[in-house]
Amino acid sequence: MVYGYHMGVPPAAGEDTSRQRLPRKSRDMADYAPGVRIARTDGTAPPAAALLQPGDLVLFNADSGDDRQTATVDHVGIHLGEDAAGERRFLSSRKTVNGPTMADLGGASLLDGTGTYARTLHTVHRV
């Protein structure tokens, strides 16, 4: 909705091979989102967080029950930029029903350090 209302990029129900609309599911966003892929994991380390700009999609392979090297993306957020402490933050929806948050069951919404999201960052995409 953020990209649709503010940038004119409408949502899509599924994968959109024309890359004109933003797919609803994170795994489809990783491959079919309009814009430019900035970085993707090589399977051994997450992409460099230093490449991020506010507004970038940050896509994660955060499901601990699958193989990180071959598994698909399963969570997405929007990079917000650096906080007052210089740490990169993102906003994403929760696994529970009470809306967007700066933290989740997987931990704080930080892209720096050794937390869940810093370790499982899979793809960075600029719409």
Side-chain angles (χ1 to χ4, degrees), residues 17-98:
T17 57
S18 72
R19 298 181 191 268
Q20 300 296 311
R21 301 177 303 160
L22 189 62
R24 180 185 142 327
K25 295 181 180 179
S26 57
R27 67 175 172 255
D28 293 332
M29 286 181 197
D31 293 322
Y32 301 106
V36 178
R37 181 182 301 153
I38 302 303
R40 179 173 269 182
T41 184
D42 62 3
T44 62
L51 300 172
L52 289 163
Q53 292 182 9
D56 285 349
L57 290 173
V58 285
L59 299 119
F60 304 92
N61 177 15
D63 182 359
S64 61
D66 60 22
D67 177 9
R68 295 212 190 279
Q69 292 184 3
T70 60
T72 60
V73 166
D74 53 36
H75 190 69
V76 63
I78 299 172
H79 181 243
L80 299 174
E82 293 183 6
D83 64 14
E87 295 183 307
R88 292 171 185 90
R89 296 270 182 179
F90 70 96
L91 184 70
S92 67
S93 87
R94 297 173 58 97
K95 290 185 178 182
T96 58
V97 295
N98 43 349

